[in-house]
Amino acid sequence: MKIGQYLKEGNFSISFEFFPPKTPEGEEDLFQTIKSLRAINPSFVSVTYGAGGSTRDRTRRVVERIHKETDLTVMAHLTCIAHSREELLQIIGEYKEIGIENLLALRGDRPANMPDFRPPEDGCTHADQLVRLIMENYGDWFSIGVASYPEGHPESPNMEWEIKYFKKKVEAGADFSITQMFFDNSYYYEFVDLCQKAYIDIPIIPGIMPITNFRQVQKFASMCGATIPQRLIERLEPYADSPEETLKIGVEFAIEQCLDLLENNVPGLHFYTLNKSKATLMVYEGIKEALKV
């Protein structure tokens, strides 16, 4: 199934994001998570790709296992900043051979342990270039998703700049987008409004992260520039050392957030699972009556 076409036909999507584990034990735990979440019948799942291509082999292995061992539609993330054009075409070609029809095209982060890192001269330094590379060589095969940033990418000086570069990815051939996580829906609504004014009309799926570890999500948020509302911070801070209370509050907030998004006719919901199923399943139970699926 091509995700872009599925969304274009007006279907609502529920999707989950996983990361490739570092150990065989972690991989088996992940597949138990996938088994648990399979009961929800997601539209698709995705597997992330580490900074600088650091998880290339692990990402491919997990993507291939999901594709061969389950009936789920799986999307592979691909970052371009550390790969040559030849390497990128090889990776993309391998995914086609496996039978993968969906890619999330990303620039990717520079490797944190390589302060003198320079991208290959013949590679792609921006995501729109990667989208164009895929389209020029495999445009008939892949549906291409891209990232979007309702609060702006950390490197964007303002939202005008953000929209300009997001539009470049769309014009290159991206047919849907998944947002960075956010906790204040107003940022998403404002971003979609700016996109519409810029004649960007691809589906923009909101990315949701149910909070299960307050300090961890504070770190994630500071890295990607996501704002945690003060009212949520005040609810979570007293229970920062209580996993049970943090989970309860985090799930309650995610349910409220998702119900509001559903009332405003979003094209889908994409959950950042951190390879766990409990919180996502709890959120699903709280919103399933309101879902359009």
Side-chain angles (χ1 to χ4, degrees), residues 142-202:
F142 289 105
S143 173
I144 307 170
V146 290
S148 50
Y149 302 85
E151 298 181 62
H153 188 279
E155 296 176 17
S156 294
N158 52 54
M159 290 307 295
E160 181 180 358
W161 181 280
E162 185 66 41
I163 296 298
K164 174 184 175 181
Y165 279 89
F166 181 51
K167 188 169 185 176
K168 281 189 174 186
K169 294 188 281 190
V170 176
E171 291 175 339
D175 53 9
F176 69 98
S177 175
I178 298 173
T179 76
Q180 178 61 264
M181 67 175 186
F182 60 89
F183 301 97
D184 183 338
N185 289 355
S186 65
Y187 288 110
Y188 173 83
Y189 300 138
E190 290 165 7
F191 179 75
V192 171
D193 184 57
L194 288 172
C195 288
Q196 291 172 345
K197 290 175 180 176
Y199 303 102
I200 298 169
D201 60 358
I202 64 170

Side-chain angles (χ1 to χ4, degrees), residues 208-211 249-259 271 279 283 287:
I208 306 298
M209 180 179 283
I211 297 174
I249 295 167
V251 165
E252 287 174 355
F253 185 86
I255 289 171
E256 294 170 9
Q257 185 181 9
C258 290
L259 289 174
F271 290 93
V283 173
I287 67 173

Side-chain angles (χ1 to χ4, degrees), residues 69-83:
E69 297 179 17
T70 77
D71 60 353
L72 296 170
T73 293
V74 57
M75 175 174 66
H77 293 213
L78 178 59
T79 65
C80 62
I81 197 169
H83 291 304

Side-chain angles (χ1 to χ4, degrees), residues 197-267:
K197 290 175 180 176
Y199 303 102
I200 298 169
D201 60 358
I202 64 170
I204 301 172
I205 302 172
I208 306 298
M209 180 179 283
I211 297 174
T212 58
N213 182 315
F214 180 48
R215 294 188 180 93
Q216 181 185 49
V217 84
Q218 281 185 306
K219 181 180 178 181
F220 290 161
S222 66
M223 289 170 61
C224 69
T227 301
I228 303 177
Q230 185 60 35
R231 64 186 179 89
L232 179 56
I233 292 174
E234 290 173 357
R235 287 174 66 186
L236 286 166
E237 273 187 333
Y239 304 103
D241 296 317
S242 172
E244 295 82 6
E245 284 299 317
T246 298
L247 174 67
K248 179 182 176 183
I249 295 167
V251 165
E252 287 174 355
F253 185 86
I255 289 171
E256 294 170 9
Q257 185 181 9
C258 290
L259 289 174
D260 180 76
L261 289 165
L262 291 170
E263 286 180 7
N264 285 276
N265 300 312
V266 295

